[in-house]
Structure formats: structure tokens, C-alpha cells
Amino acid sequence: MMISQASCFWEERLKNHNKTKDKILTMTKVCPEMKARRVCEKSVVFESISADVSFASNRFPSYKLGPDDQIIDEPEEDEKGPSVKDVVDKETRDLSDQHKRLSVRDLACKFDKNLAAASKLVAEAKSKEVNSLEGHVMLKKLRDALEAMRGRMDGRNKDSVEKAISMVESLAVTLTQHEGGLIQERFEVKKLASFLKQASEDAKKLVNQERSFACAEIESARDLVMRLGGEFNESERCSKASQDQGPNVEKLVEEVQEARRIRLMHQPTKVMGMKHEIHDLKSQIQEKSAYSVKLQREIGRIKRVEGSKSCPYVLDGAQSLGSCLRIRASSESASDVSKCSVQWYRAASESSRREAISGANRSVYAPEPYDVGRVIQAVVLSNAQKFTVTTDGPINTASGLQSRVESLMRKSNSEFTVVISQMNGQEHASRSHVFTVGKTRIKLSRGWITKAREIYSNSMQMCGVRDNANVPAKTLFWQPRKGLTFLLTFESEQERNAAIVLSRKYAYDCSVTLVGPDD
């Protein structure tokens, strides 16, 4: 594509140059006739000259002569082809676009062809340079002849000669311009030839490199094929050998199975006997453990009966989550519980170390989720005497609480309907509020009015109510931050315990332990 455009451009230049040469030759042929004619016939001679000369247009070009007969306004060319620089730039862009689509071998062949075409263009440019020099010589001779004639002419013929001289000078200027263009084009062609030569060498290097890579890949593929062929032959030999040994192996397996069947029929295995013995031992151990638990419960009951004989107080209420434990007097000689000092404790078992429940100093205590699996005790101080009452066993969990908590955890926020019983230790009569337990914070609000909204922090506290309350099993204590406390009463015991369990789970995820005061 690049060579075709360049060749068309040079053909157009050559046609223009041939036209100029024909003009010059025509004018030189007229010159001898002009010397032979007389002065009176000069007008006729110049009419024939202007008729024989073939110019690009039917009129003289418009120009002005300056000092030393220099042309100020040069005639404009009607037809101008693209410059060599534009052609080179366009072809370079086309080659860059086609570089990704051509293979390395095709690219090398194209570079070689372009290099040969560029060398041919350089040779043509040299021949045109010689032709240009001949054109200058002929124009010089023609101008000298016209100068000689101008000295012998007068009047209108002299003006015609001067116009002819001016025309020759303009032709000389045009030829000089064409020569400058040819020099520029020759420089561009040389530059293109050097570029194509370098690109051809690079393409040859790439071809050699790709050839070496291809040879290496072919060798590695050949080695892989040979190795796979060897492994395939080896596998065929192994499969053939296994097929030859197949009948012997099958016969041996049948003999082993027959021997095992005979042994099972005529001799009992020791494994079956050991299994039966282990089963009997497990049954005996389970019976003894059940009997031991029964004895321990009986011993505990006897101890509590003996202690109750000496202790004038007992615990009433179901020993499970959601109920209330209440201390009452069991004899008439016992003092009124409301006049005694009471402190509640929790412990892992009756014999383990117990810990005091802060704030639980009333005769009534409602167990909270933290008490599940622990033994609850109460110490009553009456008339300088201490009496201890204890639950029969650990506090049991409430039925349905676990499933309720799991269903609430599927939501991003869980809402509970509550009533504020106390606020900062003062009685507070209010309507129902919404207690929202979220994964990062807890909020107490009514409509658009927010009573408290705090994120989980070490200053936050929550537990079952330990002070005096109307419904202890439905009430919890909540401290959002220091200086602000609430006693909230829920609609049911299960809702209160679910709110406590859910809040503690979310707080634990935020690296916060949510417990009661001084726990």
C-alpha cells in the first residue's frame, strides 16, 4: 500500500517535469527562425511563438518583478499532490496498525519488499536530478537568446520579448522550487529506506528468535511424546500381566472367603463374646450410677430435713427460671422476715464457694438467666443468729426460652413492649415504651421521643431486678450509662429473660460483659 502511493506520487511529479521540458524544447526550436527573419516580420514571429508554446493555462501567470528581476508574487500551482512526509507518516501509522495482525515472517517479507522499492525510488530521484540540471541549462540558453533579441527589437515586439523573458524566469523559479521539493523528497526517501532497513533487520532477528523458540518447543514436545509413549507401553505391559494373573487372584480370594465361612460355622469368634461382655458391663455401670444419684438425692433431702428442723425459715417457689423464690417462716417462734436482714448468694454447688448477689437483700428474689445451673442460697440474720436456706438443686432453665432467643437473633433489631417502673430510683408512672435490643446498641423510646440510646460499653449494666418490685420475675434493671438507671417491666417472664440473654450475647460480640452492679 505504501509503495503504490509513493509510486503514484512520483509518476505525477514525472509528468509535470516532462510538460516543463516540452515547453522549453518548443521555445528553443523557435529561436533560429527568429534570427533569420527581418525586423519588420518580428510581430508575426512572436505570434507563432505564443501559439506554439503550450502552457498550463491560456494566460500568463500573474506576478510582480522586484529588484534584480526577482519574482515577488509566484504563480500558484493548481494541482498539488501530498508531500512525501505525509505519505511516510500515513504508511508508518498503517504499518503500526497492521503489526499486530501480521505474523513475524510476513512482516519480514513486507519490510524486504519496501526496502527494495525505496532503493528503486532513490535511483529514480538521482536520474531526475540529472534531468533537472539539463532543464536549468536549457532555460539559461533560452534566456540568453531572448536577451540578445531584446536589444534588436523595439515597440510592441520588445514588450513581447520582455514578457517572454519574464516567463522564462518564472519557469526557472518554478524549476528551482521543484528541485527543492525533489531534494526534500529524496531526503525523506532516504530516511524511509534507512527506517525500512532497520525494521527489516529487527524482523529478521525476531524471525530467528521465534524459530529458536519453536525449535525448543518442538524438542520438548518430542521428549514429552517419547516419555508418554514409554509410560503407555509400560502400562500396557502391566495390564497384560495383571490380566494373566487375574484368574489366580480370583481363585485365591474365593479360597479365603470359603475358609472364613467354615471358621464362622464351626468355631465362635472371641469378638462377639467380647461385645456381649462390654454390653453387660455398660448396663451394670448405668444401674449403679443411677442408684448412686438416687442415694445422693436422698442424703441431701435428709440433710435438708434435719436442717429445717433447726432452721425456722424455708424457701417457697419453683426452682426454675421465670419464678420467684420467697423466704417464709416455718415456725411460730421465728421472727418476721421483713424485720430480718437477708442476703442472697449463688454457688456452683452446695459445697463450693458462694458469691453474694449485689443488691439482693429482700425476702423475694427472681432468678435470672445468669443463675441457671447454680444453687441459690439465702442467709437470714435474726436476733444475732444466722440461718441459711438453700434450693434443692440448681436452677433449671425455662421451657421455650432457647427457641425464642434463636428466632429473635435472626432479626437485626428485637423490640419489646415495656413499662418504666422506676427512673433513677424514683417511682415513674408512664405509658408503654419500646425497648429495642440491637447488635451494637440498646434504645428505649416512645414514638419519636427517645428516653435513652446507648451502645454497648463497660459502663452499661443489665440484670434481673434485685430490689423491691411489684413483679420481680417480669422486671429487669438497666443502666445505660452512669447517672441514669431504669426498672423496666415486661409483658411476660419469657420476654424479660429473652431480652437479658439477647443483650448479653450481642454485648459479648462487642467485647463487653453485661452484668449487674458489682458482679
Side-chain angles (χ1 to χ4, degrees):
M1 179 179 176
M2 172 180 176
I3 301 301
S4 61
Q5 290 185 357
S7 61
C8 294
F9 175 72
W10 284 108
E11 289 177 359
E12 186 69 23
R13 290 287 185 178
L14 184 60
K15 289 179 181 179
N16 295 333
H17 180 67
N18 290 334
K19 290 180 180 179
T20 306
K21 186 175 180 180
D22 293 338
K23 293 177 185 178
I24 296 170
L25 291 175
T26 304
M27 295 181 71
T28 53
K29 289 179 182 179
V30 176
C31 291
E33 296 178 0
M34 293 170 58
K35 292 180 180 180
R37 293 177 181 272
R38 292 177 300 179
V39 176
C40 60
E41 299 175 351
K42 290 178 184 178
S43 61
V44 177
V45 172
F46 282 106
E47 289 177 0
S48 61
I49 290 175
S50 60
D52 293 336
V53 177
S54 176
F55 297 104
S57 60
N58 296 327
R59 60 182 179 82
F60 284 102
S62 59
Y63 60 87
K64 293 181 181 180
L65 293 177
D68 299 331
D69 296 333
Q70 292 182 358
I71 298 176
I72 298 175
D73 295 333
E74 299 179 359
E76 295 181 355
E77 296 182 359
D78 295 337
E79 298 180 357
K80 287 187 179 180
S83 65
V84 178
K85 184 176 180 181
D86 296 336
V87 175
V88 171
D89 293 339
K90 186 176 184 303
E91 293 298 329
T92 303
R93 289 193 298 271
D94 294 339
L95 287 175
S96 300
D97 295 337
Q98 295 177 359
H99 179 70
K100 296 182 179 179
R101 298 192 296 270
L102 295 175
S103 64
V104 179
R105 189 183 301 279
D106 295 338
L107 190 62
C109 294
K110 286 187 178 293
F111 277 132
D112 292 337
K113 291 180 181 179
N114 293 337
L115 183 61
S119 301
K120 186 177 179 180
L121 289 176
V122 171
E124 291 178 358
K126 290 182 180 179
S127 63
K128 289 181 179 180
E129 183 179 0
V130 175
N131 295 332
S132 176
L133 182 61
E134 293 177 357
H136 277 290
V137 173
M138 287 188 289
L139 285 175
K140 181 67 170 61
K141 290 180 180 180
L142 179 61
R143 188 177 184 282
D144 293 341
L146 292 174
E147 288 290 342
M149 291 177 62
R150 186 174 61 178
R152 296 192 299 269
M153 298 296 176
D154 57 354
R156 189 180 64 177
N157 293 331
K158 186 175 182 179
D159 295 337
S160 300
V161 171
E162 289 179 354
K163 289 181 180 180
I165 292 173
S166 301
M167 182 176 176
V168 170
E169 290 178 351
S170 65
L171 289 174
V173 171
T174 304
L175 185 61
T176 304
Q177 292 176 351
H178 283 301
E179 185 179 358
L182 290 175
I183 293 173
Q184 180 66 22
E185 291 170 359
R186 186 169 64 254
F187 174 74
E188 296 291 342
V189 169
K190 288 182 179 179
K191 185 177 179 181
L192 177 62
S194 62
F195 171 74
L196 292 174
K197 184 177 180 181
Q198 182 65 30
S200 179
E201 293 176 358
D202 295 339
K204 290 179 181 179
K205 290 180 181 179
L206 288 174
V207 169
N208 296 330
Q209 186 177 4
E210 293 295 332
R211 184 182 292 110
S212 62
F213 288 162
C215 292
E217 291 180 357
I218 291 171
E219 291 296 330
S220 62
R222 185 180 291 111
D223 295 339
L224 180 60
V225 170
M226 294 297 293
R227 187 169 65 254
L228 291 177
E231 293 179 357
F232 180 72
N233 295 331
E234 184 68 22
S235 63
E236 284 186 348
R237 288 195 297 270
C238 293
S239 62
K240 187 176 180 180
S242 62
Q243 289 177 1
D244 295 338
Q245 295 178 359
N248 297 330
V249 174
E250 292 178 358
K251 186 177 180 181
L252 181 61
V253 170
E254 291 178 357
E255 291 178 357
V256 171
Q257 290 179 353
E258 183 67 19
R260 184 176 297 171
R261 186 180 64 82
I262 293 171
R263 183 180 178 187
L264 290 174
M265 289 176 62
H266 298 282
Q267 183 180 2
T269 59
K270 293 182 179 181
V271 176
M272 297 298 293
M274 293 177 63
K275 288 183 178 179
H276 288 298
E277 291 179 1
I278 291 173
H279 181 70
D280 294 339
L281 290 174
K282 285 183 177 179
S283 300
Q284 293 177 8
I285 291 171
Q286 289 178 358
E287 291 177 358
K288 290 182 179 180
S289 61
Y291 184 70
S292 175
V293 170
K294 185 177 179 180
L295 288 177
Q296 289 179 358
R297 290 181 179 178
E298 187 65 23
I299 291 171
R301 187 183 65 80
I302 293 172
K303 287 182 178 180
R304 284 193 297 272
V305 170
E306 292 179 353
S308 63
K309 293 180 181 179
S310 60
C311 181
Y313 300 100
V314 294
L315 283 178
D316 287 340
Q319 299 177 6
S320 62
L321 194 62
S323 63
C324 288
L325 299 177
R326 192 180 302 273
I327 304 174
R328 69 174 179 83
S330 61
S331 63
E332 297 179 355
S333 60
S335 303
D336 189 4
V337 180
S338 60
K339 299 179 180 179
C340 300
S341 176
V342 180
Q343 178 61 52
W344 292 86
Y345 296 87
R346 63 170 65 97
S349 62
E350 293 183 8
S351 59
S352 62
R353 183 178 178 181
R354 63 188 183 183
E355 59 181 5
I357 302 174
S358 177
N361 49 19
R362 301 289 180 177
S363 59
V364 178
Y365 177 73
E368 62 167 293
Y370 190 69
D371 297 327
V372 175
R374 299 191 180 190
V375 176
I376 302 298
Q377 296 179 351
V379 176
V380 181
L381 183 60
S382 175
N383 298 326
Q385 292 182 354
K386 287 185 179 181
F387 302 98
T388 303
V389 291
T390 308
T391 57
D392 295 338
I395 300 298
N396 299 321
T397 185
S399 61
L401 178 61
Q402 185 65 26
S403 60
R404 175 60 175 165
V405 172
E406 290 178 356
S407 63
L408 291 175
M409 290 187 68
R410 297 189 188 97
K411 305 176 183 178
S412 59
N413 293 315
S414 301
E415 296 182 352
F416 302 91
T417 303
V418 299
V419 175
I420 301 176
S421 301
Q422 292 183 10
M423 181 175 179
N424 292 331
Q426 302 294 327
E427 295 295 332
H428 188 276
S430 66
R431 300 176 182 177
S432 60
H433 288 67
V434 177
F435 185 69
T436 305
V437 178
K439 294 184 178 181
T440 58
R441 64 184 182 181
I442 299 177
K443 183 176 70 171
L444 178 63
S445 61
R446 174 178 171 80
W448 57 271
I449 300 175
T450 301
K451 291 286 186 179
R453 180 175 58 187
E454 295 293 332
I455 61 173
Y456 296 108
S457 62
N458 294 325
S459 61
M460 183 179 292
Q461 296 177 0
M462 181 181 291
C463 63
V465 66
R466 299 172 183 178
D467 203 351
N468 190 16
N470 295 328
V471 190
K474 297 182 181 180
T475 308
L476 66 77
F477 169 82
W478 181 45
Q479 176 182 305
R481 59 181 182 273
K482 292 183 178 180
L484 180 61
T485 59
F486 293 97
L487 286 184
L488 304 178
T489 303
F490 288 73
E491 292 181 340
S492 64
E493 294 84 355
Q494 187 184 56
E495 294 293 299
R496 172 254 204 180
N497 295 324
I500 295 175
V501 173
L502 197 64
S503 301
R504 286 176 177 172
K505 285 182 178 292
Y506 290 153
Y508 183 78
D509 294 338
C510 298
S511 302
V512 175
T513 303
L514 198 60
V515 293
D518 300 330
D519 286 347

